Amino acid sequence: MGKVILTGDRPTGKLHLGHYIGSLRRRVELQNAGDYDKMYVFMADVQALTDNADNPEKIRQNIIEVALDYLSAGLDPQKCILYIQSQIPELPELTTYMMNLVSVSRVQRNPTVKTEIKMRNFEANIPMGFFSYPVSQAADIAAFKATTVPAGEDQEPMLELTREIVRRFNQVYAPVLVEPSIMLPENAVCRRLPGTDGKEKMSKSLGNCIYLSDDADTVWTKVKSMYTDPTHLNVSDPGHVEGNAVFTYLDAFSTDADFAEFWPEFQNLDELKAAYTAGGIGDMKCKKLLNNVLNKMLEPIRVRRHEFEQDIPEIYNILKKGSEVARAAAAQTMDEVRAAMRINYFDDEELIRSQAERFKK
Ligand code: TRP
């Protein structure tokens, strides 16, 4: 059957450095390594609508933003299938059948959904679609027989549920679906990048993001105002690197080559950290380094984005083609699902023949 990677994002906003370090950079590496037979990356607009039902225009606008972010970060439609969830009607079909294989209380136990319900003040009135999105996500994954789902820790409960439903399906009907495993980010910085304000998470609603599409001036303005070490008042004071967002970002993004290019006094980040901790290194110099590191990484992404922006109709074309290819794969799985569930009435000649036989007597 082969190894199949599948992953996606809710198109509710432009992608930022947290997305890049947490998933996008890894996806591009996986795509280019070519160790997998197929790779699917999709925009989960159906899932985004489960808590944005009254704001479809927001999702519509962000489809193109996220597509540009994907392509400019290096996802290549020749190597991976880019598509839009809502364009695959086989997904809600599979969701419906999967709902019979899981209980309400099982879905209620999902800690990620619990947190999201609180955050959205949905406690008194949870939309049914929102409540059941983990089942729809199981269908997203199983319809493509994905073996590997690169995602953050918060997606672990979804993957557990997917495996349970798949196992149940295979037991009750026939072994058609595949149990996927999660591929978590490689290390702590990749798991959760703090915001520029030092708060635990980069998030649009907190206004503490650096976006992949930010130009160099915007990045410098944001880096200049970044949270560092509030006890580091004079350059000569000893500084702290823990909880210092500038150093967390340097941990995430800087390489030894960056030091050779931008701050040759130090060979690597460990040396700079030691000097900063001892005292005598100013925050502004560290911010300048970070700004150089980020812009070196973002510049090729900006150049590609600018090229893709020149032909927006072609982006929609890429997504349309990708959606067609994805739909064909999901349709193939659904043929097997319907046969396993005994609802393939019209393409089962043996059924028709045997029923005719039965009524002859
Ligand atoms: N839940 C994911 C998110 O919030 C998006 C998503 C939907 C997804 N379906 C998926 C991710 C299937 C991986 C696999 O970002």
Side-chain angles (χ1 to χ4, degrees):
M1 215 35 263
K3 292 196 282 183
V4 177
I5 295 193
L6 177 139
T7 185
D9 302 284
R10 298 182 193 179
T12 52
K14 297 183 285 188
L15 302 184
H16 53 58
L17 288 183
H19 295 115
Y20 186 71
I21 191 82
S23 60
L24 199 45
R25 189 172 69 175
R26 178 78 153 315
R27 292 179 197 171
V28 175
E29 285 165 10
L30 287 165
Q31 165 199 275
N32 293 336
D35 294 336
Y36 287 79
D37 299 288
K38 272 189 187 171
M39 179 158 170
Y40 297 96
V41 178
F42 74 105
M43 286 172 250
D45 60 340
V46 175
Q47 190 173 112
L49 283 165
T50 64
D51 63 334
N52 288 282
D54 51 1
N55 199 358
E57 200 51 36
K58 170 171 144 193
I59 311 304
R60 188 179 178 83
Q61 295 301 327
N62 280 307
I63 287 280
I64 192 72
E65 293 285 353
V66 174
L68 281 166
D69 286 331
Y70 281 172
L71 293 166
S72 48
L75 288 180
D76 176 353
Q78 304 292 324
K79 296 181 185 158
C80 84
I81 301 154
L82 298 171
Y83 65 98
I84 305 179
Q85 185 186 19
S86 59
Q87 305 309 299
I88 322 292
E90 286 74 9
L91 298 178
E93 185 185 359
L94 183 56
T95 305
T96 300
Y97 301 140
M98 283 182 153
M99 287 203 188
N100 300 333
L101 303 175
V102 62
S103 68
V104 168
S105 63
R106 175 67 188 86
V107 177
Q108 253 161 350
R109 278 208 306 274
N110 186 314
T112 300
V113 177
K114 273 191 190 165
T115 317
E116 288 175 329
I117 287 171
K118 279 210 191 82
M119 269 165 40
R120 289 162 178 73
N121 295 318
F122 274 166
E123 283 102 330
N125 226 332
I126 310 173
M128 191 66 217
F130 184 82
F131 179 77
S132 53
Y133 93 72
V135 185
S136 148
Q137 185 159 337
D140 293 340
I141 297 167
F144 297 93
K145 302 191 180 184
T147 54
T148 312
V149 178
E153 258 167 351
D154 61 328
Q155 300 298 303
E156 193 108 67
M158 313 297 167
L159 269 288
E160 253 167 54
L161 186 74
T162 305
R163 285 192 291 271
E164 279 177 35
I165 296 176
V166 163
R167 229 176 285 144
R168 191 90 210 283
F169 183 100
N170 290 346
Q171 267 164 18
V172 174
Y173 303 116
V176 166
L177 303 178
V178 174
E179 277 186 52
S181 51
I182 193 165
M183 180 190 265
L184 291 168
E186 16 332 27
N187 58 48
V189 225
C190 297
R191 271 197 290 280
R192 177 154 299 176
L193 190 73
T196 51
D197 55 0
K199 296 223 175 87
E200 67 165 339
K201 197 176 162 186
M202 194 174 266
S203 126
K204 191 178 42 178
S205 49
L206 297 173
N208 60 7
C209 300
I210 295 177
Y211 293 100
L212 289 179
S213 49
D214 281 346
D215 62 26
D217 288 345
T218 308
V219 170
W220 177 228
T221 307
K222 290 179 178 178
V223 169
K224 251 193 312 202
S225 69
M226 267 178 83
Y227 179 86
T228 55
D229 168 10
T231 69
H232 188 231
L233 298 173
N234 303 299
V235 170
S236 55
D237 291 341
H240 298 86
V241 296
E242 311 82 36
N244 181 327
V246 170
F247 279 90
T248 309
Y249 284 25
L250 286 171
D251 268 325
F253 300 106
S254 73
T255 62
D256 293 359
D258 288 331
F259 279 88
E261 188 174 347
F262 302 123
W263 206 345
E265 198 181 319
F266 302 106
Q267 294 218 344
N268 53 45
L269 185 55
D270 286 341
E271 286 188 16
L272 174 62
K273 279 182 179 172
Y276 185 86
T277 309
I281 303 286
D283 282 337
M284 206 32 119
K285 279 192 106 172
C286 299
K287 287 178 172 177
K288 280 192 181 137
L289 169 68
L290 176 61
N291 185 57
N292 283 326
V293 167
L294 292 181
N295 279 318
K296 184 178 164 188
M297 178 181 89
L298 291 173
E299 194 49 32
I301 297 178
R302 284 185 199 122
V303 170
R304 276 197 297 270
R305 183 177 250 268
H306 184 74
E307 285 166 17
F308 283 114
E309 282 172 353
Q310 305 315 303
D311 195 356
I312 293 297
E314 177 54 19
I315 313 277
Y316 284 102
N317 205 26
I318 289 169
L319 297 177
K320 187 176 177 209
K321 290 262 161 57
S323 298
E324 282 162 11
V325 172
R327 188 171 181 195
Q332 167 62 41
T333 303
M334 285 314 291
D335 282 345
E336 295 169 43
V337 161
R338 285 187 220 100
M341 292 182 68
R342 319 301 290 141
I343 53 176
N344 59 336
Y345 308 109
F346 308 133
D347 46 15
D348 185 351
E349 281 170 27
E350 174 52 24
L351 168 73
I352 299 167
R353 198 201 52 75
S354 64
Q355 293 295 350
E357 209 46 45
R358 189 157 77 88
F359 284 96
K360 259 183 210 155
K361 286 178 247 154

